[in-house]
Coordinates of all heavy atoms in Angstrom, one line a residue:
M955 N 0.8 -1.1 0.0 CA -0.1 -0.1 0.0 C 0.8 1.2 0.0 O 1.8 1.4 0.8 CB -0.8 0.0 1.3 CG -1.7 1.1 1.4 SD -2.8 0.9 2.9 CE -3.2 2.6 3.2
E956 N 0.6 2.1 -0.9 CA 1.5 3.3 -1.0 C 0.8 4.4 -0.5 O -0.5 4.6 -0.6 CB 1.7 3.7 -2.5 CG 2.8 2.7 -3.1 CD 3.3 3.2 -4.4 OE1 3.4 4.4 -4.6 OE2 3.7 2.3 -5.3
S957 N 1.5 5.4 0.2 CA 0.9 6.6 0.8 C 0.6 7.7 -0.2 O 1.3 7.8 -1.2 CB 1.8 7.1 1.8 OG 1.3 8.3 2.3
D958 N -0.5 8.3 0.0 CA -0.9 9.4 -0.9 C 0.0 10.7 -0.8 O 0.1 11.4 -1.5 CB -2.4 9.7 -0.8 CG -3.2 8.7 -1.3 OD1 -2.8 7.9 -2.1 OD2 -4.4 8.5 -0.8
K959 N 0.6 10.7 0.4 CA 1.3 11.9 0.8 C 2.8 11.9 0.0 O 3.3 10.9 0.1 CB 1.6 11.9 2.3 CG 2.2 13.1 2.9 CD 2.1 13.4 4.2 CE 2.6 14.7 4.6 NZ 2.1 15.3 5.8
M960 N 3.0 13.1 -0.6 CA 4.3 13.1 -1.2 C 5.2 14.0 -0.4 O 5.0 15.0 0.1 CB 4.0 13.9 -2.6 CG 3.2 13.1 -3.5 SD 3.9 11.5 -4.1 CE 5.3 12.1 -5.0
Y961 N 6.4 13.5 -0.3 CA 7.5 14.2 0.3 C 8.6 14.5 -0.6 O 8.6 14.3 -1.7 CB 8.2 13.2 1.4 CG 7.3 12.6 2.5 CD1 6.9 11.4 2.4 CD2 6.8 13.5 3.5 CE1 6.0 10.9 3.6 CE2 6.1 13.0 4.5 CZ 5.6 11.7 4.4 OH 4.9 11.2 5.5
P962 N 9.4 15.6 -0.2 CA 10.5 16.1 -1.1 C 11.4 14.8 -1.5 O 11.4 13.9 -0.7 CB 11.2 17.1 -0.3 CG 10.2 17.5 0.8 CD 9.4 16.3 1.1
D963 N 12.1 15.0 -2.6 CA 12.9 13.9 -3.1 C 13.9 13.4 -2.2 O 14.3 12.3 -1.9 CB 13.4 14.2 -4.5 CG 12.5 14.3 -5.5 OD1 11.5 13.6 -5.5 OD2 12.7 15.0 -6.6
W964 N 14.5 14.5 -1.5 CA 15.6 14.1 -0.5 C 15.0 13.5 0.7 O 15.9 12.9 1.4 CB 16.4 15.4 -0.2 CG 15.5 16.6 0.4 CD1 14.9 17.6 -0.3 CD2 15.1 16.8 1.8 NE1 14.1 18.4 0.7 CE2 14.3 18.0 1.8 CE3 15.5 16.2 3.0 CZ2 13.8 18.7 3.0 CZ3 15.0 16.8 4.2 CH2 14.1 17.9 4.2
V965 N 13.8 13.4 1.0 CA 13.1 12.8 2.0 C 12.9 11.3 1.6 O 13.1 10.4 2.2 CB 11.9 13.5 2.7 CG1 11.2 12.6 3.7 CG2 12.3 14.8 3.3
E966 N 12.1 11.3 0.5 CA 11.6 10.0 -0.1 C 12.8 9.0 -0.4 O 12.5 7.8 -0.4 CB 11.0 10.2 -1.6 CG 9.6 10.6 -1.3 CD 8.7 9.6 -0.8 OE1 8.9 8.4 -1.1 OE2 7.7 9.9 -0.1
K967 N 14.0 9.4 -0.7 CA 15.1 8.4 -0.8 C 15.5 7.6 0.4 O 15.9 6.4 0.2 CB 16.3 9.0 -1.4 CG 17.1 9.9 -0.4 CD 18.3 10.5 -1.0 CE 19.2 11.2 -0.1 NZ 20.4 11.9 -0.7
Y968 N 14.9 8.0 1.6 CA 15.2 7.2 2.8 C 13.9 6.4 3.2 O 13.9 5.5 4.0 CB 15.4 8.2 4.0 CG 16.8 8.8 4.0 CD1 16.7 10.3 3.4 CD2 17.8 8.2 4.1 CE1 18.0 11.0 3.3 CE2 19.2 8.8 3.8 CZ 19.1 10.2 3.4 OH 20.3 10.8 3.3
H969 N 12.8 6.5 2.3 CA 11.6 5.8 2.6 C 11.8 4.4 1.8 O 11.3 4.2 0.7 CB 10.4 6.5 2.1 CG 9.1 5.9 2.5 ND1 8.0 6.0 1.8 CD2 8.7 5.2 3.6 CE1 7.0 5.5 2.4 NE2 7.5 4.9 3.5
I970 N 12.4 3.3 2.4 CA 12.4 2.0 2.0 C 11.6 1.1 2.7 O 10.9 1.6 3.7 CB 13.8 1.5 2.0 CG1 14.4 1.6 3.5 CG2 14.7 2.5 1.1 CD1 15.7 1.0 3.7
K971 N 11.4 -0.1 2.2 CA 10.5 -1.2 2.9 C 10.9 -1.4 4.3 O 12.0 -1.4 4.7 CB 10.6 -2.4 2.1 CG 9.7 -3.4 2.6 CD 9.6 -4.8 1.8 CE 8.8 -5.8 2.3 NZ 8.6 -6.9 1.5
G972 N 9.9 -1.3 5.1 CA 10.0 -1.5 6.6 C 10.4 -0.2 7.3 O 10.7 -0.2 8.5
T973 N 10.2 0.9 6.6 CA 10.3 2.3 7.3 C 9.1 3.0 7.1 O 8.3 2.9 6.3 CB 11.7 3.0 6.9 OG1 11.5 3.3 5.4 CG2 12.9 2.2 6.9
S974 N 9.1 4.1 8.0 CA 7.9 5.1 7.9 C 8.6 6.4 8.2 O 9.4 6.7 8.9 CB 6.9 4.8 9.0 OG 6.0 5.8 9.1
I975 N 7.9 7.5 7.6 CA 8.4 8.8 7.7 C 7.2 9.6 8.3 O 6.1 9.4 7.9 CB 8.7 9.4 6.2 CG1 9.9 8.7 5.6 CG2 9.0 11.0 6.4 CD1 10.2 9.1 4.2
K976 N 7.5 10.4 9.2 CA 6.6 11.3 9.8 C 7.1 12.7 9.7 O 8.2 13.0 9.9 CB 6.4 11.0 11.3 CG 5.8 9.7 11.6 CD 5.6 9.5 13.0 CE 5.0 8.1 13.3 NZ 4.7 8.0 14.9
E977 N 6.1 13.7 9.4 CA 6.3 15.1 9.3 C 5.8 15.8 10.5 O 4.7 15.7 10.7 CB 5.8 15.7 8.0 CG 6.1 17.1 7.9 CD 5.3 17.8 6.7 OE1 4.7 17.1 6.0 OE2 5.7 19.1 6.5
I978 N 6.6 16.4 11.3 CA 6.3 17.1 12.5 C 6.7 18.5 12.4 O 8.1 18.6 12.5 CB 6.7 16.3 13.9 CG1 6.1 14.9 13.8 CG2 6.2 17.0 15.0 CD1 6.7 13.9 14.9
N979 N 5.9 19.5 12.4 CA 6.3 20.8 12.5 C 7.4 21.1 11.4 O 8.2 21.9 11.7 CB 6.9 21.3 13.8 CG 5.8 21.2 14.8 OD1 4.6 21.5 14.6 ND2 6.2 20.9 16.1
G980 N 7.1 20.6 10.2 CA 8.0 21.0 9.1 C 9.2 20.1 9.0 O 10.1 20.3 8.1
S981 N 9.6 19.3 10.1 CA 10.7 18.5 10.0 C 10.5 17.0 9.7 O 9.2 16.6 10.0 CB 11.4 18.5 11.5 OG 11.9 19.7 11.6
Y982 N 11.2 16.2 9.2 CA 10.9 14.7 8.7 C 11.8 13.9 9.7 O 12.9 14.1 10.0 CB 11.3 14.6 7.3 CG 10.4 15.5 6.4 CD1 11.1 16.8 5.9 CD2 9.1 15.3 6.0 CE1 10.3 17.5 5.2 CE2 8.5 16.0 5.2 CZ 9.0 17.2 4.8 OH 8.3 18.0 4.0
Y983 N 11.1 12.8 10.1 CA 11.7 11.8 11.0 C 11.5 10.4 10.4 O 10.5 10.1 9.9 CB 11.0 11.9 12.4 CG 11.2 13.2 13.2 CD1 10.3 14.2 12.8 CD2 12.4 13.5 13.7 CE1 10.4 15.6 13.3 CE2 12.6 14.8 14.2 CZ 11.6 15.7 14.1 OH 11.8 17.0 14.6
L984 N 12.5 9.6 10.6 CA 12.5 8.2 10.0 C 12.3 7.2 11.2 O 13.0 7.3 12.2 CB 13.9 7.9 9.3 CG 13.9 6.6 8.6 CD1 13.0 6.6 7.4 CD2 15.3 6.5 8.0
Y985 N 11.5 6.2 11.0 CA 11.1 5.2 11.9 C 11.2 3.8 11.3 O 10.9 3.7 10.2 CB 9.7 5.3 12.5 CG 9.6 6.5 13.3 CD1 9.3 7.8 12.8 CD2 9.6 6.4 14.8 CE1 9.2 8.8 13.6 CE2 9.4 7.6 15.6 CZ 9.3 8.8 15.0 OH 9.1 10.0 15.8
R986 N 11.7 2.8 12.0 CA 11.7 1.3 11.6 C 10.2 0.9 12.1 O 10.0 1.0 13.2 CB 12.8 0.6 12.1 CG 12.8 -0.8 11.8 CD 14.0 -1.6 12.2 NE 15.3 -1.0 11.9 CZ 16.1 -0.5 12.9 NH1 16.0 -0.7 14.1 NH2 17.3 -0.1 12.4
V987 N 9.6 0.1 11.2 CA 8.3 -0.2 11.5 C 8.1 -1.8 11.4 O 8.5 -2.4 10.4 CB 7.1 0.4 10.7 CG1 5.9 -0.2 11.2 CG2 7.3 1.9 10.8
T988 N 7.7 -2.4 12.4 CA 7.4 -3.8 12.3 C 6.1 -4.1 13.0 O 5.4 -3.2 13.7 CB 8.3 -4.8 13.0 OG1 8.5 -4.5 14.4 CG2 9.8 -4.6 12.3
S989 N 5.7 -5.4 13.0 CA 4.3 -5.6 13.8 C 4.5 -7.1 14.3 O 5.1 -7.9 13.8 CB 3.2 -5.6 12.8 OG 3.2 -6.6 11.8
N990 N 3.9 -7.2 15.5 CA 3.9 -8.5 16.2 C 2.3 -9.0 16.5 O 1.6 -8.1 16.9 CB 4.6 -8.3 17.6 CG 6.2 -8.3 17.3 OD1 6.6 -8.7 16.2 ND2 6.8 -7.9 18.3
R991 N 2.2 -10.3 16.6 CA 1.0 -10.8 17.0 C 0.9 -10.8 18.5 O 2.0 -11.3 19.1 CB 0.7 -12.1 16.4 CG 0.3 -12.1 15.0 CD -1.2 -12.3 15.0 NE -1.7 -12.2 13.7 CZ -2.9 -11.6 13.5 NH1 -3.6 -10.9 14.4 NH2 -3.5 -11.8 12.3
I992 N 0.0 -10.4 19.2 CA -0.1 -10.5 20.7 C -1.3 -11.4 20.9 O -2.4 -11.3 20.4 CB -0.4 -9.1 21.2 CG1 0.6 -8.0 20.8 CG2 -0.5 -9.2 22.8 CD1 1.9 -8.4 21.3
K993 N -1.2 -12.5 21.7 CA -2.1 -13.4 22.1 C -3.3 -12.7 22.7 O -3.1 -11.9 23.5 CB -1.5 -14.4 23.0 CG -2.4 -15.6 23.2 CD -1.8 -16.7 24.0 CE -2.7 -17.9 24.1 NZ -1.9 -19.0 24.9
G994 N -4.4 -13.0 22.2 CA -5.7 -12.4 22.6 C -6.1 -11.3 21.9 O -7.3 -10.9 22.0
K995 N -5.3 -10.8 21.0 CA -5.8 -9.6 20.3 C -6.1 -10.0 18.6 O -5.4 -11.0 18.4 CB -4.7 -8.5 20.1 CG -4.4 -7.8 21.3 CD -3.9 -6.4 21.1 CE -3.8 -5.6 22.5 NZ -3.8 -4.4 22.3
K996 N -7.0 -9.4 18.0 CA -7.5 -9.9 16.7 C -6.7 -9.3 15.8 O -6.9 -9.6 14.5 CB -9.0 -9.5 16.6 CG -10.0 -10.2 17.6 CD -11.3 -9.8 17.4 CE -12.3 -10.5 18.3 NZ -13.7 -10.2 18.1
Y997 N -5.6 -8.5 15.8 CA -5.0 -7.7 15.0 C -3.5 -7.5 15.5 O -3.2 -7.6 16.7 CB -5.5 -6.4 14.8 CG -5.8 -5.6 15.9 CD1 -4.8 -4.9 16.5 CD2 -7.0 -5.7 16.6 CE1 -5.0 -4.0 17.6 CE2 -7.2 -4.8 17.8 CZ -6.2 -4.1 18.3 OH -6.3 -3.4 19.4
P998 N -2.7 -7.5 14.6 CA -1.2 -7.3 14.9 C -0.9 -5.8 15.5 O -1.6 -4.9 15.1 CB -0.4 -7.4 13.7 CG -1.4 -7.4 12.5 CD -2.7 -7.6 13.1
V999 N 0.0 -5.7 16.4 CA 0.3 -4.5 17.0 C 1.6 -3.9 16.3 O 2.6 -4.6 16.3 CB 0.6 -4.6 18.5 CG1 1.0 -3.3 19.2 CG2 -0.7 -5.2 19.2
A1000 N 1.6 -2.7 15.9 CA 2.7 -2.0 15.2 C 3.6 -1.5 16.3 O 3.3 -1.1 17.4 CB 2.2 -0.8 14.4
I1001 N 4.9 -1.8 15.8 CA 6.0 -1.4 16.7 C 7.0 -0.5 16.0 O 7.3 -0.9 14.8 CB 6.9 -2.6 17.2 CG1 5.9 -3.5 18.0 CG2 8.1 -2.2 18.0 CD1 6.6 -4.8 18.4
Q1002 N 7.1 0.7 16.5 CA 8.0 1.7 15.6 C 9.2 2.1 16.5 O 9.1 2.4 17.8 CB 7.1 2.9 15.4 CG 6.0 2.7 14.5 CD 5.4 4.1 14.2 OE1 5.8 5.1 14.6 NE2 4.2 3.9 13.5
K1003 N 10.3 2.1 15.9 CA 11.6 2.4 16.6 C 12.1 3.8 15.9 O 12.4 3.8 14.6 CB 12.6 1.3 16.6 CG 13.8 1.7 17.3 CD 14.7 0.5 17.4 CE 16.0 1.1 18.2 NZ 17.1 0.1 18.3
Y1004 N 12.5 4.7 16.6 CA 13.1 6.0 16.1 C 14.4 5.8 15.5 O 15.3 5.2 16.2 CB 13.0 7.1 17.2 CG 13.6 8.3 16.7 CD1 12.9 9.2 15.7 CD2 14.7 8.9 17.2 CE1 13.5 10.3 15.4 CE2 15.3 10.0 16.9 CZ 14.7 10.8 15.9 OH 15.1 12.0 15.5
I1005 N 14.7 6.1 14.3 CA 16.0 6.0 13.6 C 16.8 7.3 13.7 O 17.9 7.5 13.9 CB 15.9 5.4 12.2 CG1 15.4 4.1 12.2 CG2 17.3 5.5 11.4 CD1 15.0 3.5 10.8
G1006 N 16.1 8.4 13.3 CA 16.7 9.7 13.2 C 15.9 10.7 12.5 O 14.8 10.4 11.8
K1007 N 16.3 11.9 12.4 CA 15.9 13.1 11.8 C 16.5 13.1 10.4 O 17.7 13.1 10.2 CB 16.1 14.3 12.5 CG 15.5 15.6 12.0 CD 15.7 16.8 12.7 CE 15.1 18.0 12.2 NZ 15.2 19.2 12.9
I1008 N 15.6 13.3 9.4 CA 16.0 13.5 8.0 C 16.2 15.0 7.7 O 15.4 15.9 7.8 CB 15.0 12.9 7.0 CG1 14.7 11.4 7.4 CG2 15.4 13.0 5.6 CD1 13.6 10.8 6.6
T1009 N 17.4 15.3 7.2 CA 17.8 16.5 6.7 C 18.3 16.5 5.3 O 18.4 15.3 4.7 CB 18.8 17.2 7.5 OG1 20.1 16.5 7.3 CG2 18.5 17.3 9.1
E1010 N 18.4 17.6 4.6 CA 18.9 17.5 3.2 C 20.4 16.8 3.1 O 20.8 16.4 2.1 CB 19.0 18.8 2.6 CG 17.4 19.4 2.4 CD 17.4 20.7 1.6 OE1 18.1 20.9 0.7 OE2 16.6 21.5 2.1
N1011 N 21.0 17.0 4.2 CA 22.5 16.3 4.3 C 22.4 14.8 4.8 O 23.5 14.3 4.7 CB 23.3 17.2 5.3 CG 23.5 18.6 4.9 OD1 23.5 18.9 3.6 ND2 23.4 19.6 5.7
G1012 N 21.3 14.2 5.0 CA 21.4 12.9 5.5 C 20.4 12.6 6.8 O 19.8 13.6 7.2
V1013 N 20.6 11.5 7.3 CA 19.8 11.3 8.6 C 20.7 11.5 9.9 O 21.9 10.9 9.7 CB 19.4 9.7 8.5 CG1 18.7 9.3 9.9 CG2 18.5 9.4 7.4
I1014 N 20.1 12.2 10.7 CA 20.9 12.5 11.9 C 20.4 11.6 13.0 O 19.3 11.7 13.4 CB 20.7 14.0 12.4 CG1 21.2 14.9 11.3 CG2 21.4 14.3 13.7 CD1 20.8 16.4 11.6
E1015 N 21.2 10.7 13.5 CA 20.8 9.8 14.4 C 20.8 10.5 15.9 O 21.6 11.5 16.1 CB 21.9 8.6 14.7 CG 21.9 7.7 13.3 CD 22.7 6.6 13.4 OE1 23.4 6.4 14.5 OE2 22.9 6.0 12.5
P1016 N 20.0 10.0 16.8 CA 19.8 10.8 18.1 C 21.0 10.6 19.0 O 21.8 9.6 18.8 CB 18.6 10.0 18.7 CG 18.5 8.6 18.1 CD 19.0 8.9 16.8
V1017 N 21.4 11.5 19.7 CA 22.5 11.6 20.6 C 22.1 10.8 21.8 O 21.1 11.1 22.5 CB 23.0 13.0 21.0 CG1 24.1 13.0 22.0 CG2 23.3 13.7 19.8
K1018 N 22.8 9.8 22.3 CA 22.5 9.1 23.4 C 23.1 9.8 24.7 O 24.3 10.3 24.7 CB 23.1 7.5 23.4 CG 22.5 6.8 22.2 CD 23.2 5.5 22.2 CE 22.6 4.7 21.0 NZ 23.1 3.5 20.9
I1019 N 22.3 9.9 25.7 CA 22.7 10.4 27.1 C 23.5 9.5 27.8 O 23.0 8.4 28.1 CB 21.5 11.0 27.8 CG1 20.7 12.0 27.0 CG2 22.0 11.5 29.1 CD1 19.5 12.4 27.7
S1020 N 24.8 9.8 28.2 CA 25.6 8.8 28.8 C 25.8 9.2 30.4 O 26.5 8.6 31.1 CB 27.0 8.8 28.2 OG 27.5 10.0 28.3
F1021 N 24.9 10.2 30.7 CA 25.0 10.6 32.2 C 23.6 10.9 32.6 O 22.8 11.3 31.8 CB 26.1 11.6 32.5 CG 25.5 12.9 31.9 CD1 25.0 13.9 32.7 CD2 25.9 13.3 30.5 CE1 24.5 15.2 32.1 CE2 25.5 14.6 30.0 CZ 24.8 15.4 30.8
I1022 N 23.4 11.0 34.0 CA 22.2 11.5 34.5 C 22.4 12.8 35.1 O 23.3 12.9 36.1 CB 21.5 10.5 35.6 CG1 21.3 9.1 34.8 CG2 20.2 11.0 36.0 CD1 20.9 7.9 35.8
P1023 N 21.8 13.9 34.7 CA 22.0 15.2 35.3 C 21.7 15.3 36.9 O 20.7 14.7 37.2 CB 21.1 16.2 34.4 CG 20.8 15.5 33.2 CD 20.8 14.0 33.5
G1024 N 22.6 15.7 37.6 CA 22.2 16.0 39.0 C 22.6 14.7 39.7 O 22.6 14.8 41.0
I1025 N 23.4 13.7 39.1 CA 23.7 12.5 39.9 C 24.9 12.9 40.8 O 25.0 12.2 41.9 CB 24.1 11.5 39.0 CG1 24.1 10.0 39.7 CG2 25.4 11.7 38.3 CD1 22.8 9.6 40.1
D1026 N 25.8 13.9 40.6 CA 26.9 14.2 41.3 C 26.4 14.8 42.7 O 27.1 14.6 43.8 CB 27.7 15.2 40.8 CG 28.5 14.6 39.6 OD1 28.7 13.5 39.6 OD2 28.9 15.4 38.7
E1027 N 25.3 15.5 42.8 CA 24.6 16.0 44.0 C 24.1 15.0 44.8 O 24.0 15.1 46.1 CB 23.5 17.0 43.5 CG 24.0 18.1 42.7 CD 22.9 18.9 42.1 OE1 21.7 18.5 42.2 OE2 23.2 19.9 41.3
I1028 N 23.7 13.7 44.4 CA 23.0 12.8 45.2 C 24.0 12.0 46.0 O 23.8 11.7 47.1 CB 22.2 11.9 44.3 CG1 21.1 12.6 43.6 CG2 21.7 10.7 45.0 CD1 20.3 11.8 42.5
T1029 N 25.2 11.7 45.3 CA 26.2 10.8 46.0 C 27.1 11.6 47.1 O 27.2 12.7 47.1 CB 27.2 10.1 44.9 OG1 27.8 11.2 44.2 CG2 26.3 9.2 44.1

């Protein structure tokens, strides 16, 4: 099933099988999409994992936080 929504060419090139693009406030975001069957449900449940923000220069992956702010004050 193809989406009726058209994205700019620089965004569409990242839209491959198994991914989804969302437009939020004029920015584009790429998600990996799968579905799982859950026992007792009549339909599969969609699972989306954030990959990154799409820009004209490429996909920007999220920065991982390696510390918890304020932890020095607790110890």
Side-chain angles (χ1 to χ4, degrees):
M955 180 176 155
E956 288 193 28
S957 173
D958 293 333
K959 186 161 186 160
M960 296 297 296
Y961 297 110
D963 291 337
W964 55 272
V965 174
E966 275 295 329
K967 71 179 182 179
Y968 296 103
H969 191 212
I970 58 174
K971 186 176 180 178
T973 63
S974 174
I975 297 173
K976 292 184 181 182
E977 180 183 6
I978 303 171
N979 296 329
S981 297
Y982 300 96
Y983 300 91
L984 185 63
Y985 292 83
R986 180 178 304 123
V987 181
T988 60
S989 61
N990 284 342
R991 280 267 185 215
I992 305 295
K993 189 174 182 176
K995 292 210 175 202
K996 296 181 180 181
Y997 51 88
V999 176
I1001 298 172
Q1002 296 184 4
K1003 183 176 180 190
Y1004 178 65
I1005 296 174
K1007 182 177 181 177
I1008 303 173
T1009 66
E1010 292 186 41
N1011 298 325
V1013 176
I1014 300 173
E1015 294 181 6
V1017 177
K1018 296 181 182 178
I1019 299 174
S1020 60
F1021 69 94
I1022 300 173
I1025 195 72
D1026 293 335
E1027 301 165 358
I1028 297 172
T1029 57

